[in-house]
Amino acid sequence: MPIKSNIAILLGTLLSSFFELVWAQQNVIPLNFQIQNEFEFALTSNKEVRFTALRPFLLSDFDSINVIFPHYNSSSRDSILISKFSHPMWWRKFRTDDLIDYNNEDFELKINPIFNFSLGKDQDKNSIYHNTRGIDISGSLGSKFSFGTGMYENQSVFPDYYSDWVKTHHVVYGQGRARTFKTNGYDYSYAYGYLSYSPTKAFNFRMGHGKNFIGEGYRSLILSDVSMNMPFAMWTTTVRKIRYTNLLLAYQNIGVADGLGEIANRRYGSITMIDFSLFKFLELGLVESIVWPRKNSNSAWPSLNYFNPIIFTRTLGYGLNSEINSLLGLNSKVRIGKHINAYFQWIYDKKNQYGVQFGAKIFKPFNLPVFLQMEYNQVQPYTYAHFDKQSFTHYNQALAHPYGANFTEWIGRASFYWKDFTLSYHLSLAHIAQDTGASNVGQDIFLFVPDEQSNNFEQGLDNQLLYQDVKLSFMINPKSRMELYVQFCKRQNMNELDNSRTLFWLFGLKTGLTNLYYDF
């Protein structure tokens, strides 16, 4: 997308970024795993179970929780660099403060730069790099209304497996339409944002262009942040220990690369959730997610039932084998002591088409500065797929799990913190049963569901995918999550037809308010 188009979206919509952590109550907390986990630990250690299945979190949900972490509380950061300086203004702007911070009684405004200047090599000594520039703007009017806006402009050269994926799908993974740049690079850009309004403590309305995530895990089987930003409108109602959420979305897939194809297949989605906070250690939620067909080929809108706010009534009315693509889900989280959250997610599409996730997060075991996570995901063949152009997809990617269907996956994550340093390790081991030739064994959710299909799990070409990365980072400024980092990655893809291995490393200076994925 050209820069001018992004600026038009940026200024014309006043929609937003996933931004700041310490001001107006109605701002959202950035959709970044490390930030979200630390706020989640604040709830766990305070023996509080609140509504965390829908992310990004709203900052007002943490009003009564004392959230103190070295990275987000400047006065408590134990940094050698900070202790040796007397905090002149330029140093505070670099290490602890927002670049621009205006605050009076009724109006707040924060502005920070976004960038990623990274260089690296793969095992064949081919160059890899990222050149990202952008801006985040966030603020609030009074205590009930918050807003923000942001944009990214990028040029990148990726590892071979990533570039091959971009060539096939015509988009950069979760970051927009791909346009060729020089010999083997890609140019891509996007804008994003939200408006958030809470007339009372029980009600919040949000709308914008961005990402949402449903679930407690690293992956989601319902709605994830792996695909591109999308238009959305959301309202939540919270009454004591019950929260009811309506989320309306607009999906689309696109044509060929370099902007030569037109945007195609506009569809609409609606997600309804009801969550219960029980016994101070259990959160339980029910979900209905629907992809709607247009009323006819000339109609821009689906049925009026798209706006029906009552959970399960549409699935009961239409059925699971109707023209709508309906998905039912269950979320749960159990707090075990002050340091462990166990979680579970289950989805049901139709007969023999379902998925399951279970996992656990361990926060600061034995009061050590460590985070641990283990997770398992499994999705049966043909889940998420449906009739013509009506699967759970957006911008040529799956809306939920990046592997589509017909797979199993184990994930392990660990992080160790010391002062402003973080050492992290990530492991993903997946078995993906893929199509061969013209076969449709249920892994590619863009394909039609055949009238007669075999639902034998892991039918097809058995493909084993192993991904590992180790990252060492130094936090420079927590407001924009500016960090200096070095990262080493290994990806191995193994099946009876191919055995490919990719090794690469990256070193750079970047900000990070969103999740970026290489493990696919």
Side-chain angles (χ1 to χ4, degrees):
M1 183 182 295
I3 296 177
K4 290 183 179 179
S5 298
N6 274 332
I7 294 175
I9 296 174
L10 178 74
L11 300 178
T13 62
L14 250 195
L15 302 175
S16 101
S17 92
F18 303 129
F19 196 66
E20 195 33 72
L21 301 177
V22 290
W23 70 89
Q25 295 180 351
Q26 308 316 319
N27 288 95
V28 299
I29 298 168
L31 194 55
N32 169 285
F33 285 121
Q34 185 174 343
I35 299 173
Q36 302 270 327
N37 286 342
E38 292 184 344
F39 274 81
E40 188 178 345
F41 172 63
L43 294 178
T44 304
S45 60
N46 283 274
K47 296 185 177 181
E48 293 273 356
V49 173
R50 300 201 184 173
F51 304 106
T52 59
L54 178 62
R55 306 173 185 226
F57 303 143
L58 198 63
L59 192 58
S60 59
D61 288 339
F62 293 81
D63 278 350
S64 61
I65 300 297
N66 187 23
V67 183
I68 298 178
F69 301 98
H71 285 174
Y72 310 115
N73 187 312
S74 299
S75 63
S76 68
R77 290 175 70 195
D78 183 14
S79 169
I80 296 173
L81 288 175
I82 285 183
S83 65
K84 290 183 178 296
F85 286 82
S86 58
H87 298 278
M89 179 180 290
W90 66 269
W91 185 253
R92 294 199 309 271
K93 293 295 182 184
F94 180 63
R95 286 286 286 153
T96 63
D97 295 352
D98 299 288
L99 179 63
I100 297 175
D101 183 357
Y102 176 80
N103 189 347
N104 65 24
E105 184 176 349
D106 299 316
F107 178 70
E108 294 174 301
L109 181 66
K110 315 279 183 176
I111 302 177
N112 280 306
I114 289 177
F115 52 83
N116 182 357
F117 305 125
S118 303
L119 293 170
K121 296 280 188 180
D122 67 11
Q123 75 270 24
D124 298 321
K125 297 184 179 181
N126 297 315
S127 293
I128 303 167
Y129 70 82
H130 300 293
N131 178 14
T132 297
R133 296 87 58 213
I135 188 170
D136 265 331
I137 304 171
S138 182
S140 58
L141 297 170
S143 62
K144 297 182 178 181
F145 178 77
S146 299
F147 66 90
T149 188
M151 64 171 290
Y152 286 74
E153 173 65 25
N154 314 267
Q155 291 82 39
S156 297
V157 174
F158 298 109
D160 286 343
Y161 80 91
Y162 198 122
S163 292
D164 292 342
W165 189 95
V166 174
K167 291 175 185 176
T168 301
H169 294 81
H170 315 306
V171 296
V172 176
Y173 207 82
Q175 300 176 75
R177 183 192 293 264
R179 303 169 64 88
T180 55
F181 176 73
K182 295 185 176 180
T183 304
N184 58 345
Y186 291 96
D187 180 280
Y188 53 103
S189 55
Y190 57 97
Y192 55 97
Y194 69 87
L195 301 172
S196 177
Y197 175 64
S198 293
T200 68
K201 189 174 182 180
F203 184 83
N204 175 257
F205 175 76
R206 263 177 278 173
M207 65 178 297
H209 188 260
K211 299 183 180 184
N212 293 281
F213 188 102
I214 296 176
E216 306 287 345
Y218 175 76
R219 306 288 198 192
S220 173
L221 304 185
I222 300 172
L223 178 65
S224 180
D225 61 346
V226 295
S227 63
M228 177 58 173
N229 298 333
M230 64 191 71
F232 70 90
M234 176 199 312
W235 55 97
T236 61
T237 305
T238 306
V239 180
R240 296 177 66 85
K241 295 186 177 182
I242 300 175
R243 172 168 290 181
Y244 197 86
T245 302
N246 293 99
L247 177 59
L248 301 180
L249 304 140
Y251 309 136
Q252 65 187 37
N253 290 317
I254 65 171
V256 299
D258 285 327
L260 300 178
E262 295 183 356
I263 292 173
N265 188 18
R266 294 186 185 273
R267 292 153 299 129
Y268 295 89
S270 58
I271 299 176
T272 309
M273 302 172 56
I274 184 168
D275 293 290
F276 304 90
S277 179
L278 306 171
F279 312 118
K280 286 197 171 183
F281 66 87
L282 173 65
E283 181 181 343
L284 185 66
L286 303 174
V287 184
E288 179 189 45
S289 179
I290 295 174
V291 177
W292 292 87
R294 296 183 182 185
K295 289 185 292 186
N296 56 65
S297 60
N298 297 318
S299 173
W301 291 97
S303 164
L304 287 177
N305 255 324
Y306 171 67
F307 301 99
N308 180 354
I310 303 175
I311 192 169
F312 299 137
T313 56
R314 293 157 296 193
T315 300
L316 290 172
Y318 285 89
L320 288 171
N321 293 296
S322 67
E323 61 181 359
I324 69 171
N325 192 358
S326 181
L327 190 75
L328 306 180
L330 172 69
N331 281 309
S332 66
K333 180 179 73 174
V334 180
R335 178 179 57 80
I336 304 173
K338 291 186 176 182
H339 298 275
I340 301 175
N341 283 342
Y343 57 91
F344 174 80
Q345 189 173 76
W346 174 81
I347 58 167
Y348 182 79
D349 192 343
K350 52 185 70 72
K351 183 179 180 181
N352 295 326
Q353 297 174 24
Y354 59 89
V356 64
Q357 174 192 89
F358 56 83
K361 301 176 185 177
I362 304 177
F363 305 93
K364 298 186 178 179
F366 309 105
N367 291 317
L368 297 173
V370 172
F371 168 76
L372 302 171
Q373 182 176 11
M374 180 66 74
E375 179 175 302
Y376 175 77
N377 297 289
Q378 175 179 324
V379 177
Q380 293 291 114
Y382 304 105
T383 306
Y384 306 114
H386 201 59
F387 303 142
D388 184 19
K389 301 178 180 179
Q390 211 178 315
S391 58
F392 283 88
T393 57
H394 173 65
Y395 247 73
N396 302 1
Q397 291 184 247
L399 280 169
H401 198 288
Y403 297 147
N406 204 11
F407 69 87
T408 62
E409 179 188 42
W410 285 99
I411 291 174
R413 303 173 68 220
S415 297
F416 174 78
Y417 306 94
W418 181 73
K419 297 186 178 181
D420 286 335
F421 290 92
T422 301
L423 178 64
S424 61
Y425 172 74
H426 178 93
L427 166 70
S428 173
L429 175 61
H431 286 270
I432 310 165
Q434 294 182 322
D435 301 329
T436 55
S439 67
N440 177 8
V441 298
Q443 188 270 326
D444 187 346
I445 64 175
F446 286 87
L447 300 178
F448 297 170
V449 178
D451 294 331
E452 296 183 5
Q453 77 261 6
S454 171
N455 281 80
N456 296 322
F457 185 58
E458 291 189 335
Q459 59 193 7
L461 178 65
D462 182 23
N463 192 77
Q464 181 173 301
L465 181 60
L466 174 65
Y467 176 89
Q468 300 177 82
D469 76 49
V470 178
K471 178 183 174 183
L472 176 64
S473 62
F474 176 80
M475 180 64 66
I476 297 174
N477 190 318
K479 299 300 177 70
S480 60
R481 294 203 60 79
M482 179 168 58
E483 64 180 17
L484 190 68
Y485 80 100
V486 59
Q487 185 173 13
F488 298 90
C489 305
K490 177 183 178 180
R491 181 185 185 272
Q492 189 166 6
N493 190 60
M494 297 164 283
N495 59 55
E496 63 184 31
L497 302 178
D498 178 46
N499 188 349
S500 60
R501 187 181 69 167
T502 302
L503 299 172
F504 64 96
W505 60 267
L506 284 167
F507 171 78
L509 177 68
K510 69 172 185 176
T511 57
L513 297 177
T514 59
N515 297 315
L516 300 178
Y517 295 90
Y518 281 82
D519 56 336
F520 60 90

